Amino acid sequence: ARRVERLETLAAELRSQAGSQVEVVVADLTDEADVARLAGRVATEERLSLLVNNAGFSGYGPFAEIEADVLRRVVAIHVTTPATLVRAALPGMIARGAGAVVNVASLLALSGPLRLGMAGRATYSGAKSFQLVFTQALAAELEGSGVRAMVCLPGMVVSEFHGSRQLAGRPGMPPLMSSEDCARAIVAGLALGEVVCVPGSDDAPAIFERFRDLQQETLAAGNATGRLARRYGGDEAER
């Protein structure tokens, strides 16, 4: 994270309460130089067994009006930086035959065609969709290596991203999950062998099975004939 004082405070708590060894690294994950430095540290850490990409901010706003630097930073922190750090971590994990990477995305990764009363989320939702598809494809690549990839799709979680629990009482606002429960779901999801972890849903595994079947059906149908679909004038083109 960027603020050394808060990192040092957290490190002291972890050392005293859990007896953990903690190394503090200060970095801005939207800054290329900082990310390169951190990736180098990740790549050379021989004890690294778990990488969790959890940093982020919304950058909400109408896409036609969003400032170029905000767009760059949203894409960096949700797309470029997680991919860079995963790339740095994987060779060592694969060589050791063990390890896991977790990308913390959002349920908004599934929200593209939905009208949720949340204007200006195109960039954020699109970036979270990248994390979902990227992790699913990566998990398939890693099969048999001993290394796991999982993506977590939480809803609204109590954090500085959403503010305090007072948000939960506002009209139309869904209940907020504790950050502790979200972290617990990630640990349990890895143990269960999940590729997609949805902390707030008992039915998510079955839902994603159906979702996968529909995706496969669409892929197969789109590649079946090599001909233009009728609704685009395919029949007329043949005539």
Side-chain angles (χ1 to χ4, degrees):
R2 296 167 297 165
R3 289 165 287 195
V4 64
E5 297 83 5
R6 296 179 65 172
L7 285 172
E8 292 289 4
T9 298
L10 177 58
E13 290 177 4
L14 292 171
R15 293 184 185 112
S16 64
Q17 296 177 14
S20 301
Q21 294 182 346
V22 183
E23 176 184 350
V24 168
V25 179
V26 178
D28 179 345
L29 297 182
T30 67
D31 181 89
E32 289 186 7
D34 278 9
V35 172
R37 176 170 52 85
L38 183 57
R41 180 70 183 87
V42 168
T44 56
E45 177 50 75
E46 296 183 354
R47 300 169 298 173
L48 184 65
S49 61
L50 177 64
L51 170 68
V52 180
N53 286 308
N54 187 47
F57 65 96
S58 67
Y60 289 163
F63 188 79
E65 301 173 12
I66 192 171
E67 295 181 7
D69 188 59
V70 173
L71 176 63
R72 178 195 66 79
R73 292 172 62 231
V74 170
V75 172
I77 205 160
H78 296 296
V79 176
T80 310
T81 292
T84 299
L85 296 180
V86 170
R87 175 63 182 83
L90 281 182
M93 290 182 177
I94 292 171
R96 294 186 291 274
V101 295
V102 177
N103 295 311
V104 181
S106 165
L107 283 173
L108 290 182
L110 306 172
S111 71
L114 307 180
R115 297 184 180 275
L116 302 178
M118 299 172 61
R121 56 179 172 81
T123 307
Y124 179 82
S125 298
K128 290 304 185 182
S129 294
F130 166 84
Q131 292 183 348
L132 172 61
V133 177
F134 167 71
T135 308
Q136 289 173 309
L138 180 62
E141 287 188 26
L142 293 172
E143 286 181 1
S145 69
V147 182
R148 298 275 317 286
M150 188 178 82
V151 60
C152 181
L153 305 182
M156 297 186 70
V157 176
V158 178
S159 69
E160 292 183 13
F161 189 101
H162 292 301
S164 71
R165 283 189 180 275
Q166 294 176 354
L167 282 174
R170 295 183 181 176
M173 184 67 64
L176 274 64
M177 179 176 287
S178 71
S179 56
E180 292 83 1
D181 278 351
C182 188
R184 188 174 295 114
I186 289 173
V187 174
L190 282 172
L192 290 168
E194 293 183 348
V195 174
V196 180
C197 163
V198 183
S201 172
D202 289 323
D203 301 323
I207 292 170
F208 268 91
E209 284 288 333
R210 297 199 302 271
F211 189 26
R212 184 191 65 186
D213 291 343
L214 290 171
Q215 289 175 303
Q216 183 61 49
E217 182 181 340
T218 304
L219 284 170
N223 283 319
T225 66
R227 297 195 302 269
L228 185 65
R230 287 190 298 273
R231 70 183 181 283
Y232 300 133
D235 286 343
E236 294 178 6
E238 292 178 9
R239 289 196 295 271

